[in-house]
Amino acid sequence: QLQASGGGSVQAGGSLRLSCAASGRTPYLYHRAWFRQSPGKEREFVAAISRRGNSTLYADTVKGRFTISGDDVSDTVYLQMSSLSVEDTAVYYCGARRSAWFDPRTMVRVRYINDWGQGTLVTVSS
């Protein structure tokens, strides 16, 4: 199971940190990712981190502003979001993919994510 938290309301230019805690499985088998979905839009990739934590991947729209990281002890993945803009408003979902390899071609696609958390809403106001 994946449990996302940390969403909320923030003004443009502000920061938030999202958390995604996992339970009930072997952590090192899963790569982790964040996606987001705005009203009327498809769910889109935001960031991903390999199961060993040695590789990360970001969407161009968040590169340089968001940072994904992981805590092996608690099996929690974080998304530190800075310089937020109104366009970052969305429900953020954490996901996990069980795979031996951290393949960017699959990590950015919704259909390759095996497990999803419930989503946490981020609202950025101008």
Side-chain angles (χ1 to χ4, degrees), residues 23-76:
S23 61
R25 56 144 195 208
T26 307
Y28 61 81
L29 294 178
Y30 291 82
H31 311 299
R32 305 279 285 278
W34 287 95
F35 285 70
R36 67 186 181 186
Q37 188 167 17
S38 304
K41 294 186 177 181
E42 294 185 352
R43 192 171 297 188
E44 65 175 4
F45 170 77
V46 175
I49 187 167
S50 62
R51 57 192 177 95
R52 297 294 186 184
N54 56 344
S55 296
T56 58
L57 184 66
Y58 295 93
D60 288 341
T61 52
V62 307
K63 200 172 294 183
R65 300 187 299 121
F66 292 9
T67 301
I68 189 170
S69 61
D71 183 331
D72 289 343
V73 175
S74 63
D75 197 12
T76 299

Side-chain angles (χ1 to χ4, degrees), residues 3 7 22 32 44 47 52 70 80 84 86-87 98 101 110 118:
Q3 182 73 32
R32 305 279 285 278
E44 65 175 4
R52 297 294 186 184
Q80 179 67 47
L84 285 163
V86 174
E87 288 72 30
R98 179 170 176 165
W101 306 108
V110 170
Q118 85 286 7

Side-chain angles (χ1 to χ4, degrees), residues 88-101:
D88 295 315
T89 296
V91 176
Y92 283 71
Y93 297 90
C94 60
R97 171 171 170 76
R98 179 170 176 165
S99 174
W101 306 108

